[in-house]
Amino acid sequence: IKMELIFRLLFKRKINEIKTGKDELYSVIRRLKKENESLISKLKNEELKNERIQFLINNNNMLGVNELQIEKTDKGVLTLVKIKHNPIEILIYNVDVDNVYEKHTLLVYTSSFGESLRIKDIQGGNSFGHGSLAMKHLFKLAKEKGFKSITGDLSYTDFEHKDRLFHFYEKHGFEIKLFDNRNYFGSIKKELKT
């Protein structure tokens, strides 16, 4: 009877050890499944980014594009930047999007006006650093091409968000002059240091 009791105690202990090991094993399996799902999701996201970049390179008008760069905005958004030199045109596309075929996020058109580079239009932008990234490239190209300043007009089309506009241009060192005429409510100018 004593041997039987000892055997039962040892058997119960071994059964409990096996159950505990089994529970720990199931816990590890659940954790590994979650990690696997996360890795699969990240891989799919990277594949989508790659597909987006391939689409932007292969299926968009590359005529006249002098530079093509993949870089992050100052807010961490991954972008593809297309730069044309003559006239200077900067197109910025988000790379990390759900729709591979989404159009540009920001576009800057310019023209030459003597020793000044004139911003004709900026389309897009959404407070994720696209505008700052565009300005960085615009300043660099303007200096390389020998422009003394960058100028532009403030259109009444943008009047409703003028505070945001003023903040953006002041942040990038532009002087803002307000006036009132038929098409514009002000102008911007930034002197370029050589």
Side-chain angles (χ1 to χ4, degrees), residues 134-148:
M135 287 297 119
K136 177 184 96 170
H137 288 287
L138 189 64
F139 297 158
K140 178 181 171 270
L141 285 168
K143 287 178 184 177
E144 286 174 5
K145 293 188 170 285
F147 290 107
K148 305 274 188 237

Side-chain angles (χ1 to χ4, degrees), residues 9-153:
L9 284 172
L10 288 173
F11 186 72
K12 278 187 177 181
R13 187 179 294 161
K14 197 65 172 168
I15 293 284
N16 286 339
E17 285 176 13
I18 290 171
K19 283 181 181 176
T20 302
K22 181 180 164 187
D23 292 343
E24 288 174 3
L25 185 59
Y26 282 137
S27 175
V28 168
I29 289 170
R30 281 191 298 274
R31 182 179 51 80
L32 289 174
K33 279 184 178 179
K34 283 182 182 178
E35 286 178 14
N36 188 44
E37 289 169 2
S38 174
L39 289 172
I40 288 171
S41 176
K42 287 178 183 176
L43 180 61
K44 285 180 181 177
N45 190 28
E46 290 302 314
E47 287 172 346
L48 184 62
K49 286 180 190 178
N50 187 44
E51 187 179 345
R52 170 83 168 149
I53 291 168
Q54 290 302 316
F55 170 78
L56 291 172
I57 292 171
N58 296 328
N59 298 324
N60 273 312
N61 182 6
M62 294 296 287
L63 189 64
V65 172
N66 301 93
E67 296 179 49
L68 193 61
Q69 300 176 17
I70 295 175
E71 60 186 292
K72 287 188 176 185
T73 68
D74 57 0
K75 303 221 173 137
V77 178
L78 189 62
T79 65
L80 179 102
V81 181
K82 289 182 178 180
I83 301 171
K84 296 180 180 182
H85 288 194
N86 197 14
I88 295 175
E89 194 176 295
I90 300 168
L91 293 94
I92 298 178
Y93 300 83
N94 278 350
V95 171
D96 195 7
V97 294
D98 293 332
N99 179 3
V100 170
Y101 310 105
E102 189 174 296
K103 66 179 198 154
H104 65 269
T105 304
L106 186 120
L107 172 61
V108 178
Y109 289 111
T110 68
S111 63
S112 302
F113 191 73
E115 292 185 333
S116 182
L117 180 65
R118 186 162 195 75
I119 298 173
K120 289 173 39 178
D121 195 11
I122 298 178
Q123 299 173 1
N126 53 16
S127 298
F128 289 106
H130 300 96
S132 294
L133 185 59
M135 287 297 119
K136 177 184 96 170
H137 288 287
L138 189 64
F139 297 158
K140 178 181 171 270
L141 285 168
K143 287 178 184 177
E144 286 174 5
K145 293 188 170 285
F147 290 107
K148 305 274 188 237
S149 64
I150 298 175
T151 63
D153 291 314

Side-chain angles (χ1 to χ4, degrees), residues 156-187:
Y156 278 112
T157 309
D158 300 318
F159 192 77
E160 286 184 22
H161 59 270
K162 68 180 183 304
D163 293 339
R164 188 172 143 214
L165 206 60
F166 292 169
H167 172 76
F168 174 78
Y169 284 120
E170 287 171 345
K171 175 171 111 174
H172 293 288
F174 284 88
E175 178 185 322
I176 299 171
K177 288 189 179 176
L178 299 178
F179 53 81
D180 190 17
N181 76 19
R182 236 180 66 196
N183 300 315
Y184 305 105
F185 68 91
S187 66

